[in-house]
Amino acid sequence: FTTLADFVAQMHREVTSVFTDVLLYASELNLIGRDTFAIDGCKLPGNASKQWSGTLKELLHKQKKLQTAARKIIARHRAQDAEEKLSPVTVQEEKKRQTYERKIDRIKTFLKTAQPNLGPSGKERKSNITDPDSAKMSTNHGVIQGYNGLAVVDGLHQIVVTAQAHGEGQEAHLLPPLIEQTREQCKTAQIAEDVFEETKLTADAGYSSQDSVQYTQERNIDAYIADRNHRNRDPAFADADRYKERSRQEKRRRAGTNPNRFTAKDFDYDQAHRTCRCPAGN
């Protein structure tokens, strides 16, 4: 991991140049159709623990809690007879105190230079001490500390024309930089002076927002972005919840759990709007 990270950090300009050359060769071989570009992403775990995440205020609170725990251990040690032989419990507590001290030093060092990690809305997001560029994000397999790997892919032979990695769970505000890098990448590779004059763009509902639509319209980009709420309006999905509930009850029955008791999976969470819909649809 360290070798690869050092290589990317030191050779990122060369890697970008090689990527552009590959696009140039693919274009010469007519592998890039330029009819449709599709955008999608994949959330990948980073080499960092979620336990080291928090806002600056939360990290400071964690530091104080660790300091309190360490002081209590020291107080217990002092209360013991100095001549008493250390018991296994005392040895274990001393190791725990040393662990707390290391964590405290780590948080202190980070907070000395750390600045609030502000999101697109101006609100502070959680920072990670181990990997400040990563972020907590929801996936189908739970919450991870990692990155959102985004790719713009040509429809003819699935050639990747642009790739980016962001420590961002939400994707709507990442559409403009993806488009601009794609335009620049295709221009540098001599694919087209402005590839979006003739190429359509598709993206899933994660990129849907008023700003995204306005951005593409102002630049005359022929974009097709899925609407977040289209299932609620489309008659074809009117009874979809009935089948979902039947499937959930069957899964609970097979697992031997109470079919009348709901779990977190039964509730639909909209991360963009920070709303939660219960199984009854409210």
Side-chain angles (χ1 to χ4, degrees), residues 241-242 245 248 252 262-263 265-268 276-282:
D241 289 340
R242 176 163 59 91
E245 180 56 29
R248 288 166 182 160
R252 287 196 292 268
F262 296 109
T263 66
K265 294 181 180 179
D266 296 311
F267 296 82
D268 295 322
C276 193
R277 190 176 296 277
C278 76
N282 299 318

Side-chain angles (χ1 to χ4, degrees), residues 28 40 64 68 70 87 98 113 118 120 138 144-147 166 182 193 216 220 227 238 243-244 249:
E28 290 295 324
D40 206 350
K64 291 179 179 179
T68 300
S87 67
Q98 293 174 1
T113 58
L118 301 180
S138 299
I144 65 169
Q145 182 74 38
Y147 290 87
H166 294 271
T182 301
E193 186 68 20
T216 55
N220 296 319
D227 180 4
Y243 296 103
K244 287 182 181 179
Q249 289 185 356

Side-chain angles (χ1 to χ4, degrees), residues 45-104:
N47 190 27
S49 172
K50 292 183 291 185
Q51 296 178 353
W52 289 103
S53 289
T55 63
L56 299 188
K57 184 177 180 180
E58 290 171 344
L59 291 172
L60 181 60
H61 179 66
K62 183 175 183 178
Q63 173 190 323
K64 291 179 179 179
K65 284 181 64 176
L66 290 170
Q67 287 173 330
T68 300
R71 284 196 294 267
K72 287 182 178 179
I73 292 175
I74 294 173
R76 283 197 297 269
H77 287 188
R78 287 177 176 173
Q80 292 175 349
D81 185 1
E83 300 298 325
E84 181 182 350
K85 185 178 180 181
L86 292 178
S87 67
V89 174
T90 306
V91 173
Q92 186 177 4
E93 279 198 337
E94 176 59 21
K95 290 182 178 179
K96 187 182 295 185
R97 185 196 65 79
Q98 293 174 1
T99 300
Y100 288 164
E101 293 290 350
R102 287 194 296 269
K103 290 182 177 181
I104 291 168

Side-chain angles (χ1 to χ4, degrees), residues 96-130:
K96 187 182 295 185
R97 185 196 65 79
Q98 293 174 1
T99 300
Y100 288 164
E101 293 290 350
R102 287 194 296 269
K103 290 182 177 181
I104 291 168
D105 290 341
R106 193 171 182 183
I107 296 175
K108 278 184 176 180
T109 302
F110 177 79
L111 291 177
K112 282 181 181 178
T113 58
Q115 298 295 324
N117 181 14
L118 301 180
S121 63
K123 294 183 179 180
E124 184 181 0
R125 298 174 296 189
K126 294 180 183 293
S127 300
N128 186 270
I129 294 178
T130 306

Side-chain angles (χ1 to χ4, degrees), residues 156-196:
L156 182 61
H157 290 291
Q158 286 71 59
I159 300 292
V160 176
V161 294
T162 299
Q164 294 180 354
H166 294 271
E168 302 271 0
Q170 298 182 2
E171 299 168 328
H173 66 287
L174 301 177
L175 184 65
L178 269 174
I179 290 176
E180 292 307 320
Q181 183 172 325
T182 301
R183 180 184 280 118
E184 185 64 28
Q185 197 78 51
C186 291
K187 181 179 179 180
T188 304
Q190 302 176 16
I191 295 173
E193 186 68 20
D194 185 354
V195 71
F196 288 110

Side-chain angles (χ1 to χ4, degrees), residues 230-240 243:
H230 78 279
R231 290 176 182 264
N232 295 333
R233 297 191 305 270
D234 193 335
F237 295 95
D239 58 353
Y243 296 103

